[in-house]
Amino acid sequence: MTMTTQALAPCPILIGGVWSTPQTATTNKVYNPSTGEVIAEAPMCGADVVDAAVRAAEAAGQDWAETPPAERARILFRYKMLLEDHFEELARSVTREHGKTITEARGDVRRGIEVVEYACGAPELLKGEILENVARGIDCDLVKQPVGICVGICPYNFPALVPMWMYPLALACGNTFILKPSEKVPLTGIRLIELLVQAGLPKGVLNVVHGGRECVDALLTHPKVRAISFVGSSPVAKYIFETGTQHGKRVQAAGGAKNFVFVMPDADFDNSVTGLIDAAFGCAGQRCMAGSTAVTIGKAADRLLPDLARAVRAITVGPTDRDPSAKMGAVISAQHRDRVVGLVERSVQEGASLLVDGRGVKVPAHPGGFYLGPCVVDEVRAGMAIAKEEVFGPVLNVMHVEDLEGAMAMANEVHFGNGACIYTQSGKAAREFRHRIKAGMVGINVGVPAPLAYFPFSGWDYSFFGDLHLQGREGIMFYTRQKVTTSRWFRYGEGDIWHKEK
Ligand code: NAD
């Protein structure tokens, strides 16, 4: 059942500084997951709109690339202030179109603002290197130059943060940009860019398009696009990487995840429970850093599970856009909820047991909302579908393993490599885990070890395709190309017109 009870929010594209709503053959419904209401329709743009966006970016490119980094940073400073002024409005927008709680939405916006703050350091970040006398009288210098037209393709789960992982750094480095927010949550992205325009960004430097595969393919294959930043599921990330690189583009493509949280018998159990609840059920499990599998080691299960089950049962589910007491929101769509429920049901058929069953949770005031209560699936084993696939919903798997060695062997078999955490009071176990676990982001007594703006968001293996990650110095490297000049100026002396005889 879908409902539309109020005027739809506009969902325009931005090309060459002009906002407009293209008349496309199809649109994608944008929902408020808390109620199931349709709140907007995203135009599904094709190659013609993409080409217009590329032409606008190209027209603006040369002047923006020549704009001194400090001037570009000044616009970003103004942008940062506008983001602060509109902080609550942006967080409410995230909650409305995504369904996460207002506290989680504030985190989404705050983490994004931190990337803008980092990008404000452009003059420092873009400094090059020089070495005199690489051979007698010969100097070498390295400068970082923009790569040209860059593209950002975003997922639905962080409507503010993920776009801000991309364009602030790209713009700081002197590139022009085409942003494609997720067609499921385009409204926050539009508002973010309206504020950027207000901050004084010249026309055409950043353009916004909407759409799905057709739009993405046009971006991936356009000959004038130089670099693609992508965040989304792993199969699509792999496709983006392969197609983009085949078309000669630089690509960074962050994918999905399956993150383990080890609980050792010597763990601080209160903190383990709190950490696991946040890791597994924060944003209703729709996080690439979700701690979606608890691995109890040795006798840890006896102490962990009763408290964990009690805490999970206490999570209240509700309409986060109007009930601040709701601890967890709905998932993004009815279709996604059905997929998650399907995975839970299949795990039971395959021999797992449901320690907490959230399938029956209802929110009577909003029967159209996409709700699923928190689930804990116990006795999950390695071969089960729920152990292999990214679930991306409010479901915590529990696996039991005899010792740390066995747990690491099991976790290292999984082809994803985003995050992994351990709860322990043993420095030796923590050190062993950090050194040997195959994941790019590690938490020690921290359930969601998502790096902040100054570090790379560092997924490995099937969780990342490319070389240079998003954020931090790697982000700056991605959005610049280096030029090394070797120069020799013949010896100053006789024959130079300004040479004065002593
Ligand atoms: P998704 O892969 O379905 O969509 C991501 C983007 O790709 C969207 O803009 C969409 O329009 C586009 N797209 C979808 N299918 C496509 C196709 N076949 N061809 C071309 N483009 C296509 O991802 P989602 O469901 O929006 O987001 C959730 C996923 O993102 C999860 O897997 C999550 O783990 C991942 N994610 C990863 C990170 C990270 O840093 N590794 C961060 C956030 C989210």
Side-chain angles (χ1 to χ4, degrees), residues 51-81:
D51 189 55
V54 171
R55 277 187 282 116
E58 191 182 24
Q62 193 177 350
D63 191 55
W64 184 245
E66 294 298 332
T67 301
E71 269 182 49
R72 299 198 293 252
R74 241 166 255 142
I75 294 174
L76 291 168
F77 273 112
R78 283 200 292 276
Y79 186 41
K80 139 88 180 161
M81 296 317 294

Side-chain angles (χ1 to χ4, degrees), residues 391-461:
V391 178
F392 221 58
V395 179
L396 176 65
N397 290 348
V398 182
M399 301 175 89
H400 305 285
V401 182
E402 279 298 299
D403 53 24
L404 181 60
E405 202 59 36
M408 276 198 289
M410 180 277 295
N412 282 344
E413 276 296 302
V414 171
H415 64 170
F416 291 104
N418 229 33
C421 305
I422 189 167
Y423 278 86
T424 182
Q425 299 195 61
S426 155
K428 191 170 151 189
R431 199 269 171 196
E432 200 64 16
F433 177 81
R434 183 177 71 172
H435 186 60
R436 287 173 47 205
I437 198 74
K438 289 186 181 163
M441 293 173 273
V442 171
I444 297 172
N445 298 318
V446 170
V448 185
L452 297 193
Y454 358 97
F455 285 95
F457 208 87
S458 196
W460 286 9
D461 300 331

Side-chain angles (χ1 to χ4, degrees), residues 154-157 165 180 183 230-233 254-256 288 390 392 457:
C154 305
Y156 78 81
N157 65 324
W165 270 352
K180 194 203 83 64
E183 68 279 24
F230 172 86
V231 178
S233 58
C288 70
E390 183 182 38
F392 221 58
F457 208 87

Side-chain angles (χ1 to χ4, degrees), residues 234-247:
S234 287
V236 182
K238 185 167 183 284
Y239 169 77
I240 300 279
F241 180 77
E242 288 171 354
T243 313
T245 50
Q246 272 163 21
H247 284 82

